[in-house]
Amino acid sequence: MHNYLDFEKPISDLEGKILELRKLASEDESIDTGEEIARLETRARDAMAEIYAKLNPWQKTQVARHPARPHFRDYAKALFEEYTPLAGDRKFAEDAAIQAGFARFRGEPVAVIGQEKGHDTKTRIHHNFGSARPEGYRKAIRVMELADRFAIPVITLIDTAGAYPGIGAEERGQAEAIARSTETCLNIRVPLISVIIGEGGSGGAIAIATGNRVYMLEHAIYSVISPEGAASILWRDATRAKDAATSMKITAQDLQELDVVDGIIPEPVGGAHRDPESVMSRTGDTIADALSDLSGQSGDELRSNRRNKFLKIGRRIG
């Protein structure tokens, strides 16, 4: 059984009936349920297509946060060969919320950086739910500087509700680490491709998402603050997160229209968690195309074009 979201109840009901019929047929072979199952499967597909064709921003937020959605480690396993993770920031500690290292992508060396949320209680706690501390961003800086030194492209996969706001993180310079990581993204002279695979929350996302090309999955979200955080500030009521999500222009479609992102990677009907292999394959193709497009640019051109890209966004939206 899938982990159904609240707006997926019509799909849940139909797929529940299909499971009941299959169980009944397995218990009594004399009962023929094939025709009824086929009819219900068609209705379930049609219901899913209809629901996912008109998701509102809050529903997209729920899809982006789906617990079964593929995370960084799933993409790393599917897209990269010889992935070698690096640990520690060489200053304080290792931060498991940000994963970083070197690998081969379709035969070519790349640096890979991304947030990992975890897939069960134990791994979510270990990875701090994808919310990085300063050490994570300083590790990302270290890997990006290594990639720059050896002329290796950088690929970042973003999936975080935001940087960790704890007292310890602030004491160790959270804001400075995020700013330095963003600055490093802007300064390196190698191609930097960023893909928002789930949530792209606040400075915790932009710190590793300031790329030459920035893409979003179809049902991902990208915003300066979470809908709950915005609702708490604007109305002092976190339960109005749905209103905030609607007003903030956080969906891939809104952000492409604003030229904040360069493209949208389609997801299977029902979200990336319904068919992870296909969405990861499409993501790989998008990254490959972007690297090919950028391969003819010099280091100075890559740096200059990247900086101008984000300055234009600031002027246009500001």
Side-chain angles (χ1 to χ4, degrees):
M1 290 288 288
H2 291 282
N3 187 336
Y4 293 97
L5 300 170
D6 56 7
F7 62 85
E8 294 181 318
K9 190 176 187 308
I11 303 168
S12 172
D13 292 343
L14 290 167
E15 292 187 345
K17 292 176 182 177
I18 291 169
L19 286 175
E20 290 176 5
L21 288 172
R22 284 180 175 158
K23 183 179 179 182
L24 181 64
S26 67
E27 292 172 351
D28 187 347
E29 295 182 359
S30 65
I31 300 176
D32 183 9
T33 60
E35 186 175 336
E36 181 64 11
I37 287 174
R39 186 180 67 83
L40 290 173
E41 285 177 336
T42 299
R43 286 180 58 192
R45 284 194 300 271
D46 291 345
M48 190 181 300
E50 182 180 355
I51 289 170
Y52 273 80
K54 53 184 180 182
L55 293 181
N56 62 43
W58 179 241
Q59 290 169 335
K60 282 183 176 285
T61 301
Q62 293 176 274
V63 177
R65 295 171 173 173
H66 196 286
R69 193 174 180 86
H71 296 143
F72 173 85
R73 289 200 165 189
D74 301 306
Y75 283 85
K77 184 177 179 181
L79 298 181
F80 305 108
E81 305 88 38
E82 302 176 33
Y83 173 58
T84 303
L86 300 183
D89 65 345
R90 300 297 186 266
K91 290 180 174 66
F92 182 75
E94 159 66 354
D95 181 8
I98 285 191
Q99 301 289 294
F102 290 88
R104 290 191 180 276
F105 174 69
R106 301 188 178 182
E108 298 299 322
V110 293
V112 186
I113 304 169
Q115 287 103 352
E116 171 60 44
K117 285 184 171 181
H119 61 274
D120 56 23
T121 301
K122 182 178 179 180
T123 56
R124 285 170 189 149
I125 292 172
H126 175 66
H127 294 290
N128 201 34
F129 299 85
S131 293
R133 298 173 172 88
E135 300 76 54
Y137 295 109
R138 291 177 179 134
K139 176 171 62 175
I141 292 168
R142 183 164 72 89
V143 170
M144 284 190 280
E145 288 177 344
L146 276 171
D148 192 36
R149 185 180 307 168
F150 294 102
I152 297 174
V154 179
I155 297 169
T156 64
L157 303 174
I158 294 88
D159 189 13
T160 182
Y164 183 61
I167 293 175
E170 298 296 342
E171 288 175 341
R172 296 193 300 278
Q174 181 72 289
E176 182 269 345
I178 290 172
R180 280 280 315 283
S181 184
T182 307
E183 180 187 38
T184 304
C185 288
L186 289 170
N187 284 339
I188 59 176
R189 289 173 165 80
V190 294
L192 173 53
I193 313 300
S194 301
V195 182
I196 298 150
I197 59 175
E199 288 186 271
S202 192
I206 196 67
I208 62 170
T210 315
N212 294 93
R213 298 285 189 275
V214 181
Y215 300 98
M216 288 181 70
L217 295 194
E218 182 180 357
H219 302 309
I221 60 170
Y222 193 21
S223 61
V224 71
I225 191 172
S226 69
E228 293 87 349
S232 295
I233 292 171
L234 293 174
W235 301 296
R236 299 185 183 278
D237 182 2
T239 62
R240 295 188 64 180
K242 181 177 179 179
D243 296 331
T246 302
S247 303
M248 289 166 61
K249 304 292 185 182
I250 64 175
T251 69
Q253 295 73 23
D254 286 332
L255 293 168
Q256 186 179 43
E257 188 173 325
L258 292 169
D259 290 332
V260 172
V261 298
D262 299 292
I264 298 173
I265 301 171
E267 295 189 30
V269 176
H273 56 282
R274 290 267 178 174
D275 188 358
E277 290 76 15
S278 70
V279 77
M280 289 188 285
S281 176
R282 290 172 187 166
T283 301
D285 291 341
T286 300
I287 293 170
D289 290 343
L291 288 174
S292 177
D293 289 343
L294 296 171
S295 62
Q297 297 183 22
S298 68
D300 287 340
E301 287 174 328
L302 288 165
R303 180 179 183 271
S304 176
N305 291 341
R306 190 186 308 122
R307 294 169 70 90
N308 289 334
K309 166 189 170 72
F310 283 90
L311 286 171
K312 286 178 181 176
I313 292 172
R315 294 191 193 103
R316 183 169 54 251
I317 295 178

